[in-house]
Amino acid sequence: MGARAVGRDGTARGVLASRAAWAAVAAVVVAGLTAGCGPDGGAPVTPSTPAVSTAPTSTGTPSAAAGPVLPDAGSVRRDGSPLADAARPGHDAGSLLPVDGGDLQVVDQGDGSVAATVQGPPGALAWVAPPPGGRGKVQTDGSLTLHDEAGTVVAALAAPVAADGTRAAWRPSGDVVALDGPTGSASFVVGTVPLEGATWGENEGGRSLAVVPAPWVRDGGLAAQQALASQLSATEPEAASPSMQAQLWCHVLGARDKASWNLEPWRPEVPTTTLLATRCNPTDDDA
């Protein structure tokens, strides 16, 4: 769909919902595993009669130079644009609120996610709030996950990038997360539905769960991958086992093009190098 502008008041609230060789993958993973004022002093001052000031008295209104006023999470939820997919009524994935005078545009990417662009004065361009009782967490790659009160990831926001290709940033501030854009513009992908399907069946030696990730997750960053693992565990609690979680990450790293990722609860836990060498399908002989 086309771009839509959303102002600071959130009146046009739209949806903000977007192999390498095994040896190379193994090298990357193994490498990762081997690496989460007091006042100034001075001379005594002789009291003197204070001079009469002709400067106007402050009215208490913050100046533009002071930057935008930091809102709380409740204000962002009330006045901002919801991040949840409009096709999922009642699903709370948090909200985004541009600064006064800022502008928000979203474009559906056709893969279950949207591309969002926020423009405004350089500095803090917008704020993001998680659902009530939830939290936001900036991942090591600069992406952002929003968690609900139960801890489930309900939204994944990619690392933001400015129009000139430089990095913008997510920055926790109070109970919200600020979007900092030094150039006055930042774009990022937002996804809230990372899991398209999870179906139990029989495969090889026993029960198997066929997991179908949303397209935007396959090439997404850490936030997208965390969202998939979190929502899969919430949907199928058995998939939260260490073995099945390890198989899931193995497929994320090395089998992104497969139509579905088959995870088996009966497969043993093995070292990461073994897991990758067996193409995510270790047996008891590999343990």
Side-chain angles (χ1 to χ4, degrees):
M1 77 183 170
R4 290 175 292 151
V6 181
R8 162 68 168 79
D9 59 0
T11 54
R13 300 184 178 185
V15 180
L16 288 184
S18 114
R19 128 194 304 195
W22 284 97
V25 172
V28 172
V29 175
V30 172
L33 292 176
T34 57
C37 296
D40 294 334
V45 178
T46 304
S48 61
T49 303
V52 177
S53 174
T54 59
T57 302
S58 172
T59 61
T61 302
S63 65
V69 177
L70 174 68
D72 58 22
S75 299
V76 175
R77 297 187 194 108
R78 183 186 66 243
D79 301 327
S81 296
L83 296 172
D85 188 334
R88 302 176 66 190
H91 176 63
D92 189 349
S95 300
L96 183 146
L97 178 67
V99 298
D100 283 330
D103 177 73
L104 169 64
Q105 294 183 333
V106 295
V107 178
D108 191 331
Q109 298 205 116
D111 63 355
S113 69
V114 298
T117 299
V118 181
Q119 295 179 322
L125 299 175
W127 294 275
V128 173
R135 63 187 178 92
K137 181 178 180 181
V138 179
Q139 303 295 319
T140 55
D141 66 346
S143 58
L144 173 67
T145 50
L146 296 182
H147 304 244
D148 64 13
E149 189 172 14
T152 302
V153 178
V154 292
L157 292 78
V161 180
D164 62 359
T166 59
R167 290 291 294 269
W170 301 111
R171 172 176 53 84
S173 184
D175 59 357
V176 299
V177 179
L179 171 60
D180 289 336
T183 65
S185 175
S187 298
F188 49 93
V189 173
V190 184
T192 60
V193 186
L195 180 64
E196 289 195 345
T199 307
W200 284 102
E202 294 291 324
N203 186 41
E204 296 182 8
R207 297 171 62 242
S208 180
L209 181 64
V211 175
V212 181
W216 62 270
V217 173
R218 294 176 182 272
D219 295 317
L222 286 178
Q225 297 163 15
Q226 292 285 355
L228 175 63
S230 179
Q231 292 196 18
L232 177 62
S233 297
T235 302
E236 296 290 343
E238 193 171 357
S241 70
S243 173
M244 292 186 72
Q245 285 286 297
Q247 294 172 55
L248 175 64
W249 287 111
C250 182
H251 283 84
V252 168
L253 291 169
R256 296 184 179 183
D257 295 335
K258 289 186 64 177
S260 64
W261 300 338
N262 293 92
L263 315 179
E264 286 84 28
W266 48 268
R267 292 194 184 278
E269 292 182 55
V270 296
T272 301
T273 51
T274 302
L275 185 64
L276 292 170
T278 59
R279 299 200 172 191
C280 312
N281 296 308
T283 65
D284 289 339
D285 292 338
D286 301 308

